[in-house]
Amino acid sequence: MMVKRFSDMLLKNFGRLNCWSMAAFLAALAVVCPPPCPAADDDPRARAVMEKVDARDDGDNMVADMKMILIDKNGKTRERIMRTFSKDVGPDTYQIIFFTEPAQVKDTGFLTYDYDDPNKDDDQWLYLPALKKTKRIAASDKTDSFMGSDFSYADMTEAELENYNYKLIKEDEVYGSKVWVIEAVPVNQKVIDTFGYSKSLIFVRQDNFVIVRAVLWLADSSDVKYMDVKKLDQVDGIWVAAETHMTVKKGDETVHQTIMLRNNVAFNQKLEEGLFTERSLEKGL
């Protein structure tokens, strides 16, 4: 089984706090527990929770439409429309994303082989139609921005349990739902270099083991990322993040924000393994 893809991991629901009160809460949290906090020893209680997060059914043979909204510090927005497909292949997960709008990014494609083996690096390719060229994403580039968003290429893959020490910080509430607040500290420098974070705080809902919020400290800068799932839907009994916000802040100042919307989600579709190839990536929809 998998630890949910970080974009999924960082995707789930909420409901009560408005944006301003949320921002204030997260800013306060960052002050209370800044990056230099000492590394945690592994806590069996926290690991047991994360194992249930990992074991949660996230569906298979999925098709969905997505909209990515990019917001700069001046409030200027850009939108990108995508169609995404994912399939479990043995213990691994394959995902392919096709950009359909606007014209500047139309026919751009992104393919990921997300391996369950923590000792095997995930494979990723990006097809750039203007160059008619497929670029393999090198391990050293996986902390780079994914298509100008506040998600990185590494965020598009799973975070393996073995790569972190977990510590249960406290119980709390997020939008009226009880959560566990868990600190995740990478076990070594390679994990930090691969995912780009020196430490994370993860908020796991107690009723469904969905991660609904995260605070992520970047290893190579003073910026902090805040993930917040604003809307969580249930499709065929499977929890799906329908609206996720990822905000990058420097101190109290917002540097950039990405809103990811997902709709028309369908599971158990007839997806052939042959869809998830470089040839399909270059052929497009």
Side-chain angles (χ1 to χ4, degrees):
M1 286 303 292
M2 66 203 83
V3 176
K4 310 308 167 199
R5 187 169 286 104
F6 205 59
S7 50
D8 283 351
M9 218 170 122
L10 308 181
L11 309 179
K12 315 305 161 165
N13 160 4
F14 292 93
R16 298 215 175 129
L17 296 177
N18 61 38
C19 294
W20 291 108
S21 57
M22 170 61 67
F25 169 79
L26 293 173
L29 185 60
V31 170
V32 169
C33 197
C37 285
D41 294 330
D42 199 47
D43 178 347
R45 299 170 302 170
R47 182 159 294 275
V49 171
M50 294 308 298
E51 286 174 346
K52 290 187 176 180
V53 172
D54 183 51
R56 183 177 63 82
D57 183 9
D58 64 350
D60 191 14
N61 289 302
M62 186 199 75
V63 178
D65 294 321
M66 298 183 74
K67 176 187 285 188
M68 179 191 293
I69 304 171
L70 310 176
I71 308 171
D72 71 16
K73 61 181 180 182
N74 297 316
K76 183 179 179 181
T77 64
R78 292 177 293 157
E79 294 185 359
R80 292 171 176 177
I81 307 298
M82 303 165 283
R83 188 152 177 80
T84 181
F85 305 82
S86 67
K87 180 180 183 65
D88 290 344
V89 179
D92 306 322
T93 301
Y94 293 179
Q95 181 182 32
I96 192 165
I97 299 173
F98 297 104
F99 287 74
T100 60
E101 296 181 44
Q104 301 96 303
V105 297
K106 188 176 185 300
D107 296 328
T108 299
F110 179 64
L111 173 65
T112 293
Y113 289 177
D114 199 343
Y115 302 117
D116 184 61
D117 184 349
N119 297 312
K120 187 175 181 180
D121 289 337
D122 300 321
D123 288 317
Q124 295 178 314
W125 299 267
L126 181 69
Y127 175 65
L128 301 170
L131 302 177
K132 298 187 184 311
K133 183 178 180 180
T134 297
K135 171 188 176 184
R136 187 185 187 91
I137 307 300
S140 58
D141 294 334
K142 289 186 176 178
T143 58
D144 290 352
S145 166
F146 171 64
M147 293 296 290
S149 76
D150 297 291
F151 295 91
S152 68
Y153 291 108
D155 290 339
M156 307 304 288
T157 63
E158 300 164 5
E160 306 295 344
L161 291 179
E162 295 86 346
N163 286 335
Y164 298 88
N165 285 326
Y166 297 106
K167 181 179 180 182
L168 181 59
I169 301 298
K170 63 177 180 178
E171 296 187 24
D172 207 333
E173 285 193 3
V174 170
Y175 298 123
S177 295
K178 288 187 176 181
V179 298
W180 291 289
V181 182
I182 293 174
E183 180 186 71
V185 177
V187 296
N188 55 43
Q189 188 62 43
K190 181 183 177 183
V191 178
I192 295 174
D193 293 341
T194 299
F195 290 93
Y197 305 118
S198 59
K199 189 183 73 170
S200 307
L201 279 184
I202 300 167
F203 297 70
V204 180
R205 251 176 62 165
Q206 296 186 6
D207 59 335
N208 57 14
F209 295 97
V210 168
I211 295 173
V212 291
R213 181 181 295 170
V215 184
L216 311 157
W217 283 268
L218 292 171
D220 61 353
S221 82
S222 59
D223 293 354
V224 180
K225 287 186 181 181
Y226 299 98
M227 187 285 298
D228 186 17
V229 175
K230 298 287 188 182
K231 187 171 185 291
L232 188 66
D233 291 337
Q234 207 168 17
V235 179
D236 296 336
I238 298 167
W239 291 103
V240 175
E243 180 178 345
T244 303
H245 294 212
M246 181 74 93
T247 304
V248 178
K249 296 180 77 73
K250 186 182 291 294
D252 293 333
E253 180 182 351
T254 296
V255 177
H256 201 269
Q257 184 179 49
T258 299
I259 300 174
M260 196 80 82
L261 306 175
R262 185 184 305 190
N263 53 51
N264 299 321
V265 177
F267 293 103
N268 302 316
Q269 302 302 295
K270 291 184 178 179
L271 301 181
E272 301 295 334
E273 191 172 335
L275 171 64
F276 302 89
T277 63
E278 286 187 66
R279 183 176 180 181
S280 295
L281 192 66
E282 296 171 359
K283 181 180 177 183
L285 285 176

